[in-house]
């Protein structure tokens, strides 16, 4: 129980006798009392004396009591002060209501009994204490939340640093082709797990940025189809690890978006990976997009485990996971959809989750502002892209030891009108050159047997390989790799993950360079 002397009450009344009577009652009950006879003096005293309660007469000589009440309640530094309005009997119910709506916390009519005044004051001070406690708890919560966000930011930075040298070590091991099979296997395990860790840490970093509003978009004019193809390429490992083959339906006309290529791709990679993770093997995933007026609508749909109606509104909440058990098969932090929604919103769009319930699949619908180009003339684009569009049928050889990567590149590049052949290692890649006569060869650097550098050197040594565009694809953008690639005869080095558009732009500019020579 808090003593009455801990409270200060500001008693406002221009009538001296009335003011005196009320002050006396309050002082006798142990309260500190400060007095005021005008509106202007009241507003000053509220700031200097910081009372917990103002006993406010409605009729003041200089100001209307209702206006004094509004001023106190509008100022965030005084809004928490309780206001008990007091008026004479002739005041109507309408005035009483007006007073309460103006922000007063209670209302009394004069003349009043001492008990009535004290009981009302006590009740309002109880309310004041409770609100004070709530404010304190809210401050503590905000503080804890801020410290958690700072911790997440520091943690993700600190965790990221040791990953670079591990990655570099794996990449160095990739360059050796005489590794013992057990060591090779161990290297691949480290590689996979480090990539997984890196993705989790990148998400954590993004969460820290989002909570501090530190994500900035690097906007440019992008074709929706390129963004979606890029997302398919980047998520194919997850999709195929779950044995899914997405059905894709993209718009025929050119739908353009003003956005950040990396962040837009991230949105759809998250949604496609979730669809794969939450759909049992053998299920279906659909990616479709269409344009409507000035909007692009993209749907990522699956017939997987679905989401119950009570969980549907929660899936975009930070750290939310429908199945929070530690044993759950799907690794994740429960932040993918939070990030996704924020990134969609930063692009001026909306995202919606739909599901008819558990076992009935889910659909995520993303709507983004877009513009549609139906005529032949395209919006101004960087020269690389124009070149690539003017030549629609290159012959591209993809040499990579990963079956998934070969299939994904074949699918994506063929869909853009190019002829594609593949080889699983350097030796069979070289053999295919004579029969396939490629314009460009995409060579994975870290292949077992003949690695990408050696393969490139041998191709360049052949007459048929002199003019072909040779592109190295590597997971590590070190200066050393760049130098070795140049020495081996590569025209360009692309760093994974590489989307089809990046490949085509690079092929276009290499071939143009070669023609000009
Ligand atoms: P994470 O996948 O890391 O748990 P997300 O933020 O991406 O985190 O997703 C939050 C939760 O939403 C998931 O844990 C899952 O319960 C649910 N969810 C997301 N996508 C799907 C989907 N396609 N089908 C069913 N549930 C989903």
């Amino acid at each position: 129980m808090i003593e009455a002397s801990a409270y200060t009450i500001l008693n406002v009344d221009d009538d001296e006798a009335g003011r005196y009577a009320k002050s006396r009652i309050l002082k006798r009950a142990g309260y500190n009392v400060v007095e005021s006879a005008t509106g202007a003096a009241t507003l000053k005293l509220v700031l200097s004396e910081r009372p917990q309660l103002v006993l406010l007469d409605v009729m003041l000589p200089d100001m209307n009591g209702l206006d004094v009440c509004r001023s106190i309640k509008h100022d965030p530094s005084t809004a928490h002060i309780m206001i008990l309005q007091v008026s004479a009997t002739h005041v109507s119910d309408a005035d009483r209501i007006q007073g309460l709506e103006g922000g007063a916390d209670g209302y009394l009519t004069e003349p009043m009994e001492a008990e009535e005044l004290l009981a009302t004051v006590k009740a309002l001070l109880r309310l004041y204490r409770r609100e004070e406690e709530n404010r304190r708890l809210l401050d503590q919560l905000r503080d804890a939340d801020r410290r958690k966000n700072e911790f997440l930011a520091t943690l993700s930075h600190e965790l990221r640093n040791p990953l670079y040298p591990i990655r570099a070590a794996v990449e160095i091991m990739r360059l050796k082709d005489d590794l013992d099979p057990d060591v090779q296997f161990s290297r691949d395990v480290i590689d996979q797990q480090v990539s997984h860790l890196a993705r989790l840490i990148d998400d954590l970093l993004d969460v820290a940025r989002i909570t501090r509003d530190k994500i900035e978009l690097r906007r440019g004019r992008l074709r929706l189809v390129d963004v979606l193809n890029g997302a398919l390429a980047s998520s194919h490992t997850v999709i195929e690890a779950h044995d899914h083959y997405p059905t894709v339906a993209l718009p025929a006309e050119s739908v353009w978006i003003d956005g950040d290529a990396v962040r837009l791709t991230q949105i759809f990679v998250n949604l496609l990976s979730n669809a794969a993770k939450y759909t049992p093997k053998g299920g279906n995933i659909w990616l479709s997009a269409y344009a409507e007026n000035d909007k692009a609508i993209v749907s990522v749909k699956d017939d997987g485990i679905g989401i119950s109606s009570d969980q549907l509104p929660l899936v975009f909440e930070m750290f939310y996971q429908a199945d929070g058990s530690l044993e759950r098969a799907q690794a994740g932090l429960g932040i993918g959809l939070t990030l996704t929604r924020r990134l969609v919103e930063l692009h001026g769009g909306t995202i919606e989750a739909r599901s008819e319930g558990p076992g009935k699949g889910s659909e995520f619908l993303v709507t983004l502002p877009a513009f549609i180009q139906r005529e032949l003339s395209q919006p101004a684009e960087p020269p690389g892209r124009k070149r690539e569009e003017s030549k629609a049928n290159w012959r591209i050889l993809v040499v990579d030891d990963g079956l998934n990567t070969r299939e994904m590149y074949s699918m994506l590049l063929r869909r853009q009108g190019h002829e594609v052949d593949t080889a699983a290692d350097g030796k069979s890649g070289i053999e295919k050159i004579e029969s396939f006569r490629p314009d460009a060869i995409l060579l994975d650097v870290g292949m077992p047997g003949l690695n990408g550098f050696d393969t490139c050197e041998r191709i360049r040594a052949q007459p048929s390989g002199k003019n072909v565009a040779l592109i190295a694809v590597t997971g590590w953008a070190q200066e050393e790799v760049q130098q070795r690639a140049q020495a081996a005869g590569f025209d360009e080095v692309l760093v994974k993950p590489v989307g089809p558009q990046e490949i085509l732009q690079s092929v276009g500019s290499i071939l143009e360079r070669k023609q000009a020579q």
Side-chain angles (χ1 to χ4, degrees):
M1 182 76 193
I2 296 176
E3 293 285 318
S5 60
Y7 295 109
T8 300
I9 296 175
L10 176 55
N11 179 16
V12 187
D13 195 337
D14 61 328
D15 172 52
E16 215 180 318
R19 193 171 69 232
Y20 173 76
K22 281 179 284 186
S23 285
R24 211 166 69 128
I25 299 171
L26 292 169
K27 280 182 185 159
R28 274 203 182 152
Y31 295 106
N32 294 319
V33 181
V34 185
E35 294 188 341
S36 147
T38 64
T42 303
L43 293 179
K44 272 196 194 140
L45 283 169
V46 157
L47 291 174
S48 60
E49 299 297 320
R50 299 273 155 196
Q52 282 76 37
L53 187 143
V54 178
L55 193 59
L56 183 63
D57 184 22
V58 176
M59 313 279 261
L60 294 172
D62 57 339
M63 277 171 87
N64 182 331
L66 295 178
D67 291 335
V68 175
C69 176
R70 264 188 220 109
S71 296
I72 296 174
K73 290 292 181 184
H74 268 145
D75 180 345
S77 71
T78 55
H80 60 284
I81 296 173
M82 291 285 149
I83 297 186
L84 177 53
Q85 281 203 341
V86 183
S87 70
T89 354
H90 64 266
V91 171
S92 66
D93 274 353
D95 291 329
R96 185 190 292 257
I97 290 166
Q98 211 189 350
L100 290 171
E101 282 189 343
D105 302 284
Y107 211 103
L108 282 177
T109 311
E110 280 191 301
M112 70 191 78
E113 294 294 327
E115 288 76 20
E116 192 186 6
L117 172 64
L118 286 177
T120 314
V121 163
K122 248 189 185 165
L124 287 183
L125 288 175
R126 257 199 315 271
L127 198 61
Y128 176 88
R129 265 205 317 274
R130 229 172 278 149
E131 287 189 0
E132 192 80 327
E133 178 64 9
N134 285 343
R135 264 196 305 280
R136 199 179 55 78
L137 290 174
L138 195 66
D139 283 348
Q140 271 180 3
L141 259 178
R142 285 206 181 106
D143 198 44
D145 192 49
R146 185 184 47 74
R147 272 183 283 133
K148 177 209 73 195
N149 290 337
E150 277 166 12
F151 171 72
L152 278 181
T154 318
L155 178 74
S156 37
H157 270 115
E158 291 301 317
L159 287 177
R160 226 180 181 208
N161 292 336
L163 286 186
Y164 287 115
I166 300 177
R167 264 258 160 92
V170 169
E171 214 54 44
I172 290 165
M173 285 162 90
R174 277 202 179 284
L175 300 179
K176 302 245 181 288
D177 43 23
D178 52 356
L179 285 184
D180 175 280
D182 284 350
V183 177
Q184 255 182 49
F185 171 77
S186 313
R187 174 202 66 194
D188 290 345
V189 170
I190 298 173
D191 194 14
Q192 270 174 17
Q193 300 306 315
V194 165
S195 301
H196 185 56
L197 264 179
R199 266 197 308 278
L200 291 175
I201 292 170
D202 281 347
D203 274 1
L204 263 185
L205 257 181
D206 276 345
V207 161
R209 288 195 192 109
I210 271 188
T211 46
R212 294 184 298 172
D213 264 338
K214 286 218 165 134
I215 289 200
E216 276 178 24
L217 298 185
R218 293 187 189 165
R219 284 178 184 270
R221 195 174 267 200
L222 305 164
R223 230 165 52 161
L224 179 65
V225 174
D226 296 340
V227 171
L228 296 178
N229 277 330
L232 276 169
S234 303
S235 50
H236 81 272
T237 320
V238 184
I239 295 178
E240 285 174 18
H242 290 80
D243 251 354
H244 300 307
Y245 294 90
T247 307
V248 180
L250 301 182
E253 66 266 281
S254 278
V255 181
W256 298 81
I257 291 177
D258 176 34
D260 182 320
V262 173
R263 295 306 191 174
L264 281 172
T265 308
Q266 194 179 354
I267 291 172
F268 298 108
V269 167
N270 278 347
L271 295 179
L272 285 165
S273 308
N274 274 353
K277 280 185 348 192
Y278 300 109
T279 302
K281 277 184 195 270
N284 292 291
I285 296 175
W286 295 269
L287 168 68
S288 56
Y290 60 96
E292 207 174 71
N293 303 324
D294 52 358
K295 292 199 162 47
I297 296 151
V298 182
S299 151
V300 179
K301 196 170 170 233
D302 62 64
D303 57 3
I305 64 167
I307 304 167
S308 64
S309 55
D310 52 329
Q311 285 169 343
L312 214 46
L314 304 175
V315 290
F316 295 105
E317 297 296 317
M318 183 88 78
F319 306 126
Y320 180 81
Q321 299 183 314
D323 173 7
S325 60
L326 283 176
E327 307 81 48
R328 71 198 191 116
Q330 323 298 344
L333 299 172
I335 51 188
L337 285 179
T338 315
L339 273 175
T340 303
R341 179 170 64 181
R342 188 73 195 113
L343 292 175
V344 170
E345 286 169 356
L346 282 174
H347 281 90
T350 55
I351 181 166
E352 187 193 331
R354 293 180 181 172
S355 173
E356 284 179 13
K360 300 207 170 134
S362 317
E363 182 176 19
F364 287 82
L365 271 178
V366 176
T367 305
L368 292 165
F371 40 105
I372 298 148
Q373 193 86 22
R374 288 203 177 76
E375 307 87 71
L376 282 175
S377 64
Q378 302 280 326
E381 270 300 293
R385 189 180 296 255
K386 267 198 188 142
R387 275 196 301 276
E388 161 258 299
E389 273 162 4
S390 63
K391 185 172 189 323
N393 54 349
W394 286 316
R395 301 164 73 80
I396 302 173
L397 178 63
V398 178
V399 186
D400 196 304
D401 59 329
L403 172 68
N404 290 341
T405 313
R406 289 200 304 276
E407 284 182 347
M408 188 50 84
Y409 280 138
S410 306
M411 183 184 90
L412 296 173
L413 294 171
R414 279 194 188 121
R415 199 182 290 146
Q416 308 243 352
H418 304 280
E419 267 182 67
V420 183
D421 201 349
T422 61
D425 56 66
K427 200 163 151 283
S428 46
I430 296 170
E431 282 163 13
K432 285 213 164 153
I433 296 179
E434 281 307 316
S435 55
F436 184 57
R437 297 255 158 213
D439 297 299
I441 305 176
L442 213 62
L443 269 178
D444 182 25
V445 170
M447 283 185 294
L450 209 54
N451 70 36
F453 298 129
D454 297 340
T455 311
C456 178
E457 273 171 15
R458 293 202 193 175
I459 295 173
R460 285 288 187 233
Q462 294 181 7
S464 54
K466 284 258 176 318
N467 279 322
V468 66
L470 268 165
I471 299 170
V473 180
T474 169
W476 194 244
Q478 270 172 319
E479 186 55 32
E480 235 179 277
V481 176
Q482 295 278 351
Q483 282 168 3
R484 262 192 89 175
Q486 216 175 5
F490 276 111
D491 293 299
E492 194 159 344
V493 178
L494 296 180
V495 181
K496 290 178 189 174
V498 188
Q501 229 41 51
E502 205 180 333
I503 296 171
L504 294 176
Q505 273 181 33
S506 157
V507 172
S509 44
I510 297 171
L511 292 180
E512 188 158 289
R513 237 172 22 231
K514 284 188 186 292
Q515 266 165 18
Q517 278 165 6

